[in-house]
Amino acid sequence: MQKETTAVLCRTANSDTVTGQPEVPMATSLYDLSVPSFLQTVRAVAGFLDRAATHCADAGADPDSFVNMRLYRDMAPFHFQIEAAWHHSVWGFEAMRTGLFAPPALVGPVPFTELRAMMARAEAALSALTPDEVNEWEGKDLDLQIGPRQLAFTAETLILSFSLPNFHFHTVTAYDILRSNGVPLGKRDYEGQLRTRST
């Protein structure tokens, strides 16, 4: 009797469970691994920035007071966290397209409304990416100058080991700054819209 296979990840559309042949794991594309994940969190960040603005309006406070707040004295301020999240959600894909990691220069402290606009620009840029376009970059070698470091990536490792970790570091730090300063946020505000089968 054929030994039962284990650790089947998912079923291909034409797999045959009647013959007893092992099911083949379905490949996941670079687009599917990256763009929807960035969009989920970019939209969540936009949502908790909206929540912060509403909280300030209800309390008679100025949302610009958040701009220079820090989670800890040796950490970058709130405006940097949002701007860095914008950069890491968009310019990793630009690096795959062009071979250069060249986000725009940091603008420094800006009004809270401009931080909200950054997330809107990030969502628009990510939404404009198509699966065909992103998937064409699969396996592409990228030798990038990032700050003082020359780093050799593939398209996949750039997004999964550099852009996504940096993006989540800055978005969760922004969340923590707002939460620690009284904005009524919970974990679900950070999760955003989960990509379940029904959505």
Side-chain angles (χ1 to χ4, degrees), residues 30-31 93-94 96-97 125-126 128-138:
L30 178 57
Y31 179 92
F93 293 101
E94 285 301 306
M96 289 194 291
R97 187 196 316 274
L126 291 165
L129 294 168
T130 66
D132 286 346
E133 179 181 26
V134 174
N135 293 336
E136 282 182 0
W137 302 326
E138 288 182 1

Side-chain angles (χ1 to χ4, degrees), residues 58-168:
D58 291 345
D62 184 355
D64 286 346
S65 64
F66 292 121
V67 169
N68 288 304
M69 288 181 175
R70 299 170 188 262
L71 192 58
Y72 196 72
R73 61 180 177 271
D74 66 349
M75 294 181 73
F78 184 78
H79 67 82
F80 177 87
Q81 307 300 339
I82 297 297
E83 190 169 7
W86 170 40
H87 286 183
H88 283 291
S89 65
V90 173
W91 270 271
F93 293 101
E94 285 301 306
M96 289 194 291
R97 187 196 316 274
T98 66
L100 296 172
F101 183 74
L106 294 167
V107 298
V110 294
F112 192 81
T113 54
E114 174 57 19
L115 300 178
R116 296 171 77 182
M118 287 178 188
M119 287 295 98
R121 290 197 289 274
E123 180 176 358
L126 291 165
S127 296
L129 294 168
T130 66
D132 286 346
E133 179 181 26
V134 174
N135 293 336
E136 282 182 0
W137 302 326
E138 288 182 1
K140 184 177 180 179
D141 288 335
L142 298 165
D143 295 317
L144 302 179
Q145 187 72 37
I146 298 180
R149 299 177 292 174
Q150 181 77 24
L151 299 172
F153 290 111
T154 63
E156 290 85 349
T157 57
L158 170 67
I159 290 297
L160 298 177
S161 74
F162 176 73
S163 294
L164 267 174
N166 274 282
F167 170 69
H168 282 294

Side-chain angles (χ1 to χ4, degrees), residues 7-21:
V8 174
L9 300 179
C10 54
R11 183 179 302 166
T12 60
N14 60 356
S15 61
D16 187 347
T17 57
V18 177
T19 64
Q21 294 299 314

